[in-house]
Amino acid sequence: MGYNVAIDGPAGAGKSTIAKLVAKEKGYIYVDTGAMYRGLAIHFIKKGIKAEDIKGIVEACKDAEVSIVYENDVQQIYLNGENVTAMLRTEEVGNMASKTSAIPAVREKLLELQRTLAREKDVIMDGRDIGTNILPNADVKIYLTASVETRATRRYKELLEKGENCVYEEIAQDIKERDERDMNREIAPLKQAEDAILVDSSEMTIDEVVKTICNYCK
Ligand code: C5P
């Protein structure tokens, strides 16, 4: 059994940034489960299936193979043998992932992959239901959150830096909608596990958050 750190929280709370840094500091493997949902989302988009077409999504799950390979400790996502890592982080893919992750067949598809990684390696795994559902016996559970305003502002700046056109109000709206979907779905909704440590990063620097979490870890 590996040493397992679960880090859950809403979209844009900085989970991946923080988890990568903690992983480096502590020598864990960083597992980004959102990327797995995004990988499957690419499969659905490629097939031209709408998120609302539940039957179509369930059917399409059958011919999707998502796998993970680590290249220099950086997670790569393969979809049916193709490395799709560079295609994961668009709004289209994120929205498709957010909608389709509410479908049981989609979650079922990724569950074993996530648990196997945690069994075999020392991991810090980020997602929405890691502490509550995937790794209920994780050694450390963190619930990382921040206000909608903070998360939207961070995302806005990130996009501007990339030279992308964006409107703050739209980003804030998108984050609210994603929170709403993730927290209110029937299966594995986003919520703080009873034994998770709450970290609100609204008024904290990245360095402070990393130090706080590292202090709880072996
Ligand atoms: O974290 P990220 O934004 O990459 O995740 C994309 C979407 O995948 C989220 O909006 C969420 O709905 C879903 N997800 C999930 N469970 C996880 C990780 C992600 O439902 N463990």
Side-chain angles (χ1 to χ4, degrees), residues 8 11 15 32-35 37-38 89 94 97-99 101 107 114 126-130 178 182 185 188:
D8 292 300
K15 297 187 298 295
D32 175 358
T33 63
Y37 287 94
R38 288 170 184 264
R89 307 223 60 92
S98 161
K99 288 180 186 160
S101 65
R107 306 202 71 82
Q114 293 166 7
D126 94 12
R128 303 294 188 287
D129 64 333
I130 309 306
R178 226 180 262 195
D182 286 350
R185 66 183 176 213

Side-chain angles (χ1 to χ4, degrees), residues 138-153:
D139 298 278
V140 178
K141 296 181 187 179
I142 304 288
Y143 190 82
L144 181 64
T145 189
S147 68
V148 170
E149 293 70 29
T150 304
R151 290 185 281 139
T153 306

Side-chain angles (χ1 to χ4, degrees), residues 71-211:
E71 286 172 12
N72 301 322
D73 283 348
V74 180
Q75 173 181 297
Q76 305 288 317
I77 299 275
Y78 281 78
L79 170 65
N80 293 334
E82 183 196 352
N83 187 337
V84 294
T85 314
M87 298 155 68
L88 299 175
R89 307 223 60 92
T90 66
E91 294 303 299
E92 185 194 14
V93 172
N95 280 323
M96 186 62 148
S98 161
K99 288 180 186 160
T100 53
S101 65
I103 301 169
V106 170
R107 306 202 71 82
E108 190 61 33
K109 183 102 198 156
L110 299 174
L111 182 120
E112 241 356 272
L113 178 59
Q114 293 166 7
R115 287 198 178 143
T116 303
L117 284 166
R119 239 189 333 265
E120 293 172 350
K121 300 187 163 89
D122 293 344
V123 298
I124 177 162
M125 185 176 289
D126 94 12
R128 303 294 188 287
D129 64 333
I130 309 306
T132 50
N133 188 43
I134 301 294
L135 307 176
N137 298 318
D139 298 278
V140 178
K141 296 181 187 179
I142 304 288
Y143 190 82
L144 181 64
T145 189
S147 68
V148 170
E149 293 70 29
T150 304
R151 290 185 281 139
T153 306
R154 287 179 189 159
R155 182 90 189 113
Y156 178 70
K157 286 187 182 155
E158 208 176 276
L159 289 171
L160 282 190
E161 271 165 26
K162 278 199 219 160
E164 283 180 38
N165 245 335
C166 57
V167 179
Y168 172 84
E169 285 72 22
E170 283 175 11
I171 293 171
Q173 187 56 32
D174 202 59
I175 284 183
K176 278 187 208 155
E177 281 170 18
R178 226 180 262 195
D179 283 0
E180 178 72 23
R181 271 199 300 271
D182 286 350
M183 292 174 180
N184 295 308
R185 66 183 176 213
E186 262 173 50
I187 178 169
L190 168 67
K191 64 166 189 248
Q192 185 181 343
E194 271 175 30
D195 50 352
I197 299 149
L198 174 68
V199 180
D200 185 329
S201 74
S202 302
E203 307 290 331
M204 292 168 84
T205 64
I206 291 175
D207 202 37
E208 285 168 341
V209 178
V210 171
K211 283 212 177 94

